[in-house]
Amino acid sequence: MISRMAIGLLLLAGIADGGAAFAQDAGAGKLTGDWGGVRTDLAKAGIDFQLGYTSELAYNAAGGTKNQLSYDDQLSFGATFDLDRLFGVHDAKIQLTITDRNGRNLSDDAQLGTLQQVQEVFGRGQTWRLTQFWYEQKYFSGLLDWKIGRLTVGEDFASFTCSFQNLTFCGSQPGNLVGNYWYNWPVSQWATRVKVNIDGVGYIQTGAYQMNPGFLNVDQAVLPNNPSGTTGVMIPVEFGWTPTFGPAKLPGSYKFGVWYDTSTASDVFTDDDGNPEVLTGRPFRDRHGRYGAYINFLQQLTRPDASDPSRGLSVFLNATIADQRTSTVDNQIAVGLIYKGPFDFRPKDEIAVAFGRTHVNGRVARGQRLLNEAGLGPVAVQDAEYAFEAYYGLQATDWLMARPNIQYIRLPGGTRHNDDVVVIGLKTSIDF
């Protein structure tokens, strides 16, 4: 029933961005093509359809309790109304995206013990979800950009590509640390976002997101409902600097952000009397407010082909820190290199490598040591997990990208109690 409902919603909606009005073939680069010209006609009218598929295979050649091959995938059905062309509402659109996740997770199946998943597309329930359902309006020739509806916070704040398969290097990084309230794709929340674009500099934006763990539920997740249980509001603020450097005008993106959640949350160490909870067993102390900060840098370094400005070497740095009162994992850093078009005869392929560190809150580790000292263990004392990934992105056709990859995770879970992990994977994306 839900499947038929999602498909029905898709058929009633459409996607359209500004350039589509003049498209000669809206199906170019897509597996299903132009549908006999229907896709282009719809794009010119203000309607354009999106359908994407991502799958991830992962096999642990080392580490875990057993050797296992696991598979998961995601289907995404996108739809946007260009309200200018459809109804004459200038600089306005509505976005609709429904996702469906399926499959298994190697981190759990083989008990790898990792802090970060080795298959990033798994999670948040293997179910249909309403991932985007929002209205966007621009004012003053794009100077002011306002969005309201069901949003995923990571689409606007600390946003980052998801080409790697290890979660350490994928998507909006704060969600990797405080995923209990920073809900990345595919979970959406009722929210609003306001962005001011600064010509020649970049932008500044802020938002307000309803904090409600009910959005994590899988029951009726495809509906635009409003579950009970709201705990507060999260307010992120981000400044983005978008310079270009050198005669080649190599583009860069430098994001600086902070967030504050007004919800009350439990301390990770102290009980309500100010003593270590692991020794007393009393309720954790309530803490009012949760917060953190992040940076997200991406800079193109080379451009070997002036006729194709996207080719060349780029470097990225993502770093996030969360408050130590309420976060069991308190900081993460990831750095990497991505080279697009490494060979003249393969101008759309990619080669990429990345290294990351995920750190467990020292207050959590202190509690683990206290348990062992009191003879209540033994439990593993956690510190930091280190992840490495390399992939080759083969753009087999305009609509098919395959990324064979290898991952190495040192100290999974931040402890020597878990064997180091080697994962051989394959991430595939198809644009229908």
Side-chain angles (χ1 to χ4, degrees):
M1 177 65 181
I2 293 177
S3 177
R4 291 195 296 270
M5 182 186 302
I7 293 172
L9 285 171
L10 171 66
L11 294 176
L12 290 174
I15 258 184
D17 59 36
F22 307 101
Q24 298 301 312
D25 182 3
K30 303 182 187 300
L31 174 60
T32 58
D34 198 25
W35 308 339
V38 172
R39 199 170 202 160
T40 293
D41 291 341
L42 289 171
K44 291 179 178 179
I47 303 172
D48 188 8
F49 292 93
Q50 291 177 337
L51 172 59
Y53 168 79
T54 299
S55 69
E56 293 177 348
L57 279 167
Y59 173 77
N60 59 316
T65 58
K66 59 181 177 179
N67 296 118
Q68 174 95 21
L69 178 66
S70 293
Y71 164 88
D72 58 8
D73 65 26
Q74 174 184 274
L75 283 167
S76 61
F77 301 86
T80 306
F81 300 108
D82 185 318
L83 300 185
D84 192 352
R85 279 175 282 149
L86 286 169
F87 306 114
V89 181
H90 190 57
D91 287 341
K93 64 181 180 180
I94 292 175
Q95 175 73 35
L96 169 67
T97 305
I98 295 171
T99 58
D100 175 38
R101 287 188 167 182
N102 303 277
R104 303 283 301 180
N105 175 27
L106 182 64
S107 294
D108 293 334
D109 288 350
Q111 300 178 39
L112 303 182
T114 57
L115 296 173
Q116 301 292 290
Q117 293 178 176
V118 299
Q119 291 164 283
E120 56 78 22
V121 83
F122 181 89
R124 300 307 196 186
Q126 307 308 84
T127 187
W128 292 90
R129 282 194 178 277
L130 178 64
T131 296
Q132 293 174 307
F133 184 40
W134 46 254
Y135 171 86
E136 182 178 31
Q137 177 70 64
K138 296 182 179 180
Y139 302 93
F140 313 117
S141 300
L143 174 66
L144 180 65
D145 185 331
W146 175 54
K147 185 189 291 187
I148 189 169
R150 283 286 289 269
L151 314 179
T152 62
V153 60
E155 71 189 69
D156 290 306
F157 294 90
S159 62
F160 189 67
T161 60
C162 211
S163 300
F164 290 90
Q165 187 163 310
N166 190 291
L167 185 60
T168 308
F169 315 114
C170 177
S172 180
Q173 193 180 60
N176 298 343
L177 298 186
V178 292
N180 58 324
Y181 67 96
W182 181 297
Y183 304 151
N184 280 344
W185 183 287
V187 179
S188 62
Q189 305 144 271
W190 292 111
T192 187
R193 187 270 291 152
V194 177
K195 181 178 183 179
V196 178
N197 293 297
I198 307 170
D199 189 36
V201 178
Y203 64 86
I204 187 168
Q205 63 178 353
T206 187
Y209 293 77
Q210 180 185 3
M211 289 292 97
N212 187 334
F215 289 122
L216 299 178
N217 295 336
V218 298
D219 294 338
Q220 300 181 333
V222 76
L223 301 177
N225 57 352
N226 184 30
S228 60
T230 296
T231 62
V233 60
M234 183 171 69
I235 304 171
V237 179
E238 179 178 289
F239 169 71
W241 179 43
T242 54
T244 58
F245 294 100
K249 296 188 179 299
L250 298 173
S253 171
Y254 297 82
K255 303 172 186 177
F256 307 83
V258 296
W259 76 86
Y260 183 79
D261 170 24
T262 65
S263 303
T264 296
S266 296
D267 193 282
V268 299
F269 178 78
T270 305
D271 70 11
D272 54 5
D273 274 344
N275 300 310
E277 184 277 338
V278 295
L279 300 181
T280 67
R282 293 181 58 83
F284 284 105
R285 170 178 291 181
D286 285 339
R287 295 290 189 175
H288 300 290
R290 298 178 283 193
Y291 50 86
Y294 62 86
I295 58 173
N296 179 308
F297 299 163
L298 177 64
Q299 177 65 54
Q300 186 170 348
L301 301 178
T302 67
R303 180 174 290 164
D305 184 356
S307 65
D308 186 354
S310 67
R311 288 185 62 189
L313 178 66
S314 297
V315 61
F316 70 84
L317 165 65
N318 297 327
T320 301
I321 184 168
D323 78 274
Q324 292 188 326
R325 304 173 310 148
T326 65
S327 305
T328 57
V329 181
D330 63 356
N331 69 77
Q332 184 179 82
I333 185 169
V335 295
L337 298 169
I338 303 173
Y339 199 113
K340 183 176 179 182
F343 311 110
D344 290 339
F345 62 94
R346 301 294 309 170
K348 296 183 179 180
D349 287 359
E350 295 177 351
I351 296 177
V353 296
F355 171 80
R357 175 184 181 270
T358 303
H359 184 259
V360 175
N361 189 341
R363 299 178 73 230
V364 172
R366 181 185 172 193
Q368 293 164 345
R369 286 192 294 269
L370 286 176
L371 278 173
N372 291 335
E373 292 169 1
L376 301 176
V379 298
V381 178
Q382 296 176 284
D383 185 15
E385 170 181 292
Y386 300 86
F388 169 84
E389 182 176 343
Y391 74 76
Y392 185 90
L394 176 66
Q395 190 74 57
T397 69
D398 287 341
W399 48 265
L400 173 62
M401 169 66 88
R403 294 185 175 93
N405 59 77
I406 186 167
Q407 304 175 44
Y408 172 63
I409 297 93
R410 172 70 173 159
L411 303 177
T415 172
R416 298 184 183 276
H417 287 244
N418 296 321
D419 294 335
D420 291 354
V421 172
V422 176
V423 172
I424 300 170
L426 175 64
K427 183 171 184 172
T428 304
S429 300
I430 300 176
D431 185 357
F432 290 90

